[in-house]
């Protein structure tokens, strides 16, 4: 089952590595998921939410949420990609980390404004 806080590894087209994606909201009568990915913390990048080793088993160094790349997808398509092993499902983030990521979206200048309405229930 996919829910807010679920995570998966997926290839990122412009990079040769997989990124960790986190579902931050379930929307559209539970048929779609809003998700963001984690990337390495670098100078000049949006630091609305910094995650550190220990926040999730995948995180090995200080990282940030890449709010500018937030996406929405059908949950059925995400499940299909996981079952076909295109994506790899990992353990979910804790409720505290999920809340931190959601709160970061509300203050991030990079988070698409059109998605803010999906975070009104946090």
């Amino acid at each position: 089952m996919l829910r807010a806080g679920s995570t998966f590894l997926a290839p990122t087209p412009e990079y040769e590595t997989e990124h960790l994606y986190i579902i931050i909201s379930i929307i559209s009568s539970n048929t779609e998921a809003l998700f963001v990915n984690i990337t390495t913390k670098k100078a000049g990048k949006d630091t609305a939410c910094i995650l550190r080793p220990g926040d999730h088993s995948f995180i090995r160094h200080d990282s940030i949420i890449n709010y500018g790349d937030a996406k929405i997808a059908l949950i059925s398509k995400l499940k299909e990609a996981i079952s076909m092993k295109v994506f790899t499902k990992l353990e979910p983030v804790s409720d505290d980390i999920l809340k931190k990521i959601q709160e970061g979206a509300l203050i991030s200048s990079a988070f698409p404004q059109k998605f803010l309405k999906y975070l009104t229930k946090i």
Side-chain angles (χ1 to χ4, degrees):
M1 180 173 120
L2 295 177
R3 61 171 184 82
S6 293
T7 67
F8 56 92
L9 286 178
T12 305
E14 59 271 21
Y15 302 104
E16 293 182 14
T17 60
E18 292 181 312
H19 281 79
L20 181 68
Y21 287 83
I22 302 125
I23 295 175
I24 61 171
S25 185
I26 301 296
I27 58 176
S28 303
S29 301
N30 296 321
T31 61
E32 293 181 303
L34 170 62
F35 54 97
V36 293
N37 72 68
I38 296 176
T39 192
T40 301
K41 181 182 174 203
K42 294 180 183 165
K45 295 285 188 176
D46 180 8
T47 57
C49 181
I50 300 170
L51 299 179
R52 293 182 164 64
D55 288 338
H56 188 274
S57 65
F58 183 78
I59 299 172
R60 303 276 184 248
H61 53 268
D62 285 0
S63 301
I64 58 170
I65 299 297
N66 188 5
Y67 290 112
D69 280 348
K71 295 180 181 13
I72 291 177
L74 290 170
I75 291 172
S76 61
K77 293 293 184 185
L78 295 174
K79 287 180 178 178
E80 182 180 330
I82 290 167
S83 71
M84 295 177 64
K85 302 197 184 312
V86 176
F87 297 170
T88 305
K89 189 173 181 198
L90 297 179
E91 77 276 2
V93 294
S94 70
D95 290 343
D96 288 342
I97 296 299
L98 174 61
K99 184 174 172 128
K100 179 179 178 177
I101 295 167
Q102 291 169 329
E103 288 173 347
L106 297 176
I107 63 168
S108 170
S109 60
F111 189 70
Q113 295 294 302
K114 65 185 178 183
F115 294 158
L116 284 174
K117 62 187 173 190
Y118 301 125
L119 296 176
T120 56
K121 299 175 192 170
I122 65 165

